[in-house]
Amino acid sequence: MRGRLPPALVFLASMPALLVAALIVATVGDALGSGVTHLLTEFLGSAVIRLLFNTLGLMIAATLLATLIGTATAFLVVRTDVPLRPLWQALGAAPLAVPAFIASYAWVSLSPHFEKFGGALLVTTCAYFPLVYLPVAASLKRLDPMQEDVARVLGTSSFGAFVRVILPQLRPAMLGGGALVALRALTEFGAFAMMRFQTFTTQIYLVYTAGLTGSVASALALVLLMLCLLVLVAYVLLEGGHSYASVGRGAARAATVYRLGVWRLPALAFLVLLAAASVGVPLGMTVFWLTQHGAAAITPAEVSPHAVFQATWTSIKLGVGGAIFTSVLILPLALLASRWPGRRMVTWLSQVPWLAQGLPGIVVALSFITVAIRIVPWLYQSTLLLLVVYAILFMPFALVGIRAALVQSPPLLEEIGRGLGYGWFGVLRRITLPLAMPGVGAAAALVLTSIVSELTATLLLAPLGTETLAMRVWENTSTLAFAGAAPYAAILIGISMVTSWFTASRFGVAAHATAVGS
Amino acid sequence: MAELRIEGLTKRFDGNSILDGIDLQVESGALLAILGASGGGKTTLLRLIAGFERPDAGMIKIEGVVVESPRTHTLPEQRRIGYLTQEGALFPHLTVEQNIGFGLQKRADRAARITRMMELVGLPALYARRFPHQLSGGEQQRTALARALAPEPRLVLLDEPFSAIDAALRREIRRSVLEVLKAVGATAVLVTHDQDEALSMGDRVAVLRGGRIAQHDRPASLYRNPVDLAMGQFVGESVLLDGEAHGGRIHCPLGVLTSTQRIDGPVQVLLRPEQIRLVAHATPGSVAADISGIQYFGSDVLVELRLADATPIAARMFSHELPQIQGRVGVMIVGAVCAFPSSKPAGRLVQQLAG
Ligand SMILES: Nc1ncnc2c1ncn2[C@@H]1O[C@H](COP(=O)(O)OP(=O)(O)OP(=O)(O)O)[C@@H](O)[C@H]1O
Ligand SMILES: [Mg+2]
């Protein structure tokens, strides 16, 4: 399918860009319209400074810690003789199937001491270190072991070889993963709210639900949006466009496995602790509260099987609907990107979902509420609006997965189809899509996982009377009814694990860590 | 540069003996080519010399100093060895000059040395800032050679360094590498599974077979006087015939030939296709043969023939000597041939052409 870009396809492929543009215009317009500097200085004053301090402090601490832990784990698991390596390899990705706010719920219900900065840092790091671990482990496996040998004979110690040869080549993976962690730390809401740690997201939520003027929330949202953009810009500057193309085939010989010697047990202890904190506590506490009577928690709550069933059904409906909506929305762009790569227009349009990774759910939700109330009131409180917001938030996952699936289906078959007299749409329907279907399904499953574990936008936008699993966990945790939250949390984790496993079996676990800029 | 001495080197992987008592010696400034089949343990031998692996038994001495024995193990970074691999293994995150300067960290003359090495291997100065993926395969290999030689190693190990380069370029790169090695007076060990490469580059050639050094000789002696039939077939194209030897004369389907060694009794005769000359049919002293096929290689040709009793043989000649004649010709043998004792009774003629 080379040659001219079909105008209809280009139009459809521009939809994500139009949505994102509308969103930014709405937020900026709303905030500026009411004098953003005035609002921030006069009305909020020192509160904004404190929020900045909290948000940036947590972002920096979590990014550094997650990068350190993710890289160390990858190295231990890939290159050392630490016991039970296959187990740790699998567990390294597992935290991604546990939403951060569920982890938060687990820690808070374990002890009230887990709160504020410390608690937030613990949860963020445990939930997001896999975003560094996965790409770094993949890079480590790709490195040519000969390079280390050559460095050794050139006079460097094995530690020197690590610092001068291995580490620099892991830099792109560490930066990419680190940038994702920073973005997640900036945009996380549920986990921080449960830890009673104030950041921009929790404050925006508070201001909005308190019914204060919408423009105060917009002013805060604008600042948060700027912070996210700053992270993206910093990433681009630091990364500098280098990806170290490896030279030659390499990797004919298995890489040297470093003997840890006396450090074997400390390394094992580190991995055990990490697994316990990132997977053990969330699963363990959920199971613990499941077995407790409703009255055992600080606030007693009885769980009706009917409510559980309703919430599960609603979550699945929204997840499936959102996954289909997102896939359909992104398909034209994925087609353009896979079949006409390199065109300037296509390159620009493909950057849009990438930008969307820097959009906090709460900001997206707020700006669409604003737009809906002002322009299309019937959209407000409708499921469609919620699906649109989901689509914007999770476009990157869909684009990466669907494009990969399309790239794998050979263009030659399409040319044969054209030769047999089909137009591009006929070829798309009869050849391209059927071939790409399994991959598209896996990408949709990833979107489904994300939607089911989404809390912020769902809380703000869910139509009246709609209750999802995530919302139930949130409400029960807010009132300290831990036993009441448990069944919802358990089902949520279950769904997330099944769909994650499905995606992973198709794309490999690295699909989760959609690298910035990919 | 230094001499290398290896004694009784033995290495097992998972109980399989890969190297089984290797003894070798390389004179200072000489290049030893080690020829062996794929999977024969060539890379393992080099990795033992470099210190990446430890042997199960044996000793390695460089410049008279033991670097490896059951009691000593000098770390790779302290052996002062240059290592050049098939793929070059350049560091992809470093430029050409940073790659070459990698082993020159603490030297004051680092910049000058990098320039000097680039000149030596024939890399244009403007390549200094390029990254490895911006170089051709040959340029990558030159960079890797410059990097290996920059710290003035005592010994250079080359692990099939030319096999990733396409055939057209290979000969040229081989020659320039040889020139560079001679220019710096390097003691070198080259391993390869390519006979031409071993014979043309080595001052000595050692053949690694079944984990042992089966023969260690000058290239010409190895080709002319292989220790056994299999060795003869391994190092070059051969024609095999059955025969009967009496006091240095061998009776076989090609007539009466001179043997390189004294031998009596039933033998297998090994001769090289270039020892067979084609002459006009019925020339006195020739044996009649029919041309059954011709393989054309450009500068030379291989003419496939059948003797009167259907024994297949082959003759190599320059292509301009290719006879216009078809059908029946005469063949004559030039020079002495190798003969090895045969268990088979003479008379039943089993011949084969080995390539
Ligand atoms: N680390 C190892 N563990 C187990 N077996 C090994 C190891 N390294 C090499 N071997 C085995 O030892 C044998 C010799 O390997 P080696 O790489 O030395 O062969 P080679 O002669 O260099 O072959 P090639 O020409 O294909 O490069 C092979 O059978 C290989 O599988
Ligand atoms: Mg080898």
Side-chain angles (χ1 to χ4, degrees), chain B residues 10-20 39 44 56 210-211:
Chain B
T10 298
K11 179 72 183 170
R12 283 183 286 272
F13 281 122
D14 319 317
N16 297 324
S17 182
I18 304 296
L19 299 176
D20 184 16
T44 304
D56 294 303

Side-chain angles (χ1 to χ4, degrees), chain A residues 253, chain B residues 13-14 18 37-44 53 160 193:
Chain A
R253 192 169 284 273
Chain B
F13 281 122
D14 319 317
I18 304 296
S38 187
K42 305 183 294 293
T43 300
T44 304
E53 319 244 5
E160 310 205 30
H193 61 253

Side-chain angles (χ1 to χ4, degrees), chain B residues 288-293 304-308 327-329:
Chain B
D290 291 313
I291 296 179
S292 59
E304 292 160 359
L305 303 144
R306 261 169 209 292
L307 300 181
R328 181 146 297 192
V329 292

Side-chain angles (χ1 to χ4, degrees), chain A residues 337-514:
Chain A
S338 67
R339 290 304 182 257
W340 287 272
R343 301 287 181 94
R344 186 164 310 148
M345 171 103 186
V346 176
T347 312
W348 278 102
L349 286 178
S350 313
Q351 299 300 321
V352 171
W354 174 71
L355 193 68
Q357 286 193 98
L359 298 176
I362 196 155
V363 173
V364 179
L366 272 188
S367 68
F368 273 87
I369 290 174
T370 314
V371 172
I373 291 178
R374 296 222 181 119
I375 304 169
V376 266
W378 58 266
L379 258 186
Y380 181 60
Q381 286 275 330
S382 74
T383 307
L384 179 62
L385 191 62
L386 185 54
L387 295 188
V388 170
V389 168
Y390 284 150
I392 291 185
L393 290 177
F394 304 124
M395 291 194 291
F397 297 143
L399 180 63
V400 169
I402 297 178
R403 185 174 56 189
L406 287 174
V407 166
Q408 278 164 11
S409 82
L412 179 66
L413 291 182
E414 291 170 4
E415 279 156 12
I416 293 173
R418 295 302 283 267
L420 292 175
Y422 287 102
W424 71 263
F425 186 74
V427 167
L428 174 67
R429 199 167 56 83
R430 313 267 314 226
I431 299 175
T432 316
L433 281 186
L435 281 175
M437 221 48 215
V440 174
L446 187 53
V447 175
L448 191 151
T449 316
S450 314
I451 290 179
V452 172
S453 355
E454 209 284 340
L455 176 66
T456 330
T458 316
L459 272 180
L460 289 176
L461 285 170
L464 229 55
T466 302
E467 289 284 356
T468 68
L469 292 169
M471 291 163 80
R472 288 286 191 190
V473 175
W474 163 258
E475 286 153 10
N476 281 303
T477 311
S478 305
T479 57
L480 305 181
F482 301 128
Y488 302 103
I491 295 176
L492 209 167
I493 294 177
I495 294 178
S496 175
M497 284 192 160
V498 169
T499 48
S500 299
W501 175 82
F502 178 66
T503 317
S505 64
R506 173 79 199 174
F507 285 142
V509 276
H512 264 288
T514 312

Side-chain angles (χ1 to χ4, degrees), chain A residues 144 146-158 164-165 168-169 242-250 253, chain B residues 43 47 50 52-53 75-77 81 83 85-87 89-93 102-103 105 131-133 140 147-148 151:
Chain A
D144 179 359
M146 267 324 291
Q147 288 177 14
E148 285 157 71
D149 291 342
V150 168
R152 293 296 299 279
V153 286
L154 286 170
T156 23
S157 63
S158 58
R164 293 176 64 197
V165 174
Q169 296 190 63
H242 288 240
S243 61
Y244 303 121
S246 70
V247 195
R249 279 175 311 221
R253 192 169 284 273
Chain B
T43 300
R47 290 175 62 80
F52 300 140
E53 319 244 5
L75 292 173
E77 58 264 38
I81 278 177
Y83 199 73
T85 65
Q86 193 178 34
E87 304 281 343
L90 290 179
F91 304 124
H93 60 297
F102 192 92
Q105 282 286 292
F131 282 93
H133 64 91
Q140 285 178 14
R147 180 180 65 182

Side-chain angles (χ1 to χ4, degrees), chain A residues 165-190:
Chain A
V165 174
I166 300 180
L167 214 49
Q169 296 190 63
L170 297 183
R171 201 179 108 109
M174 290 166 67
L175 270 178
L180 281 176
V181 175
L183 287 177
R184 299 284 173 101
L186 281 180
T187 57
E188 178 58 53
F189 159 74

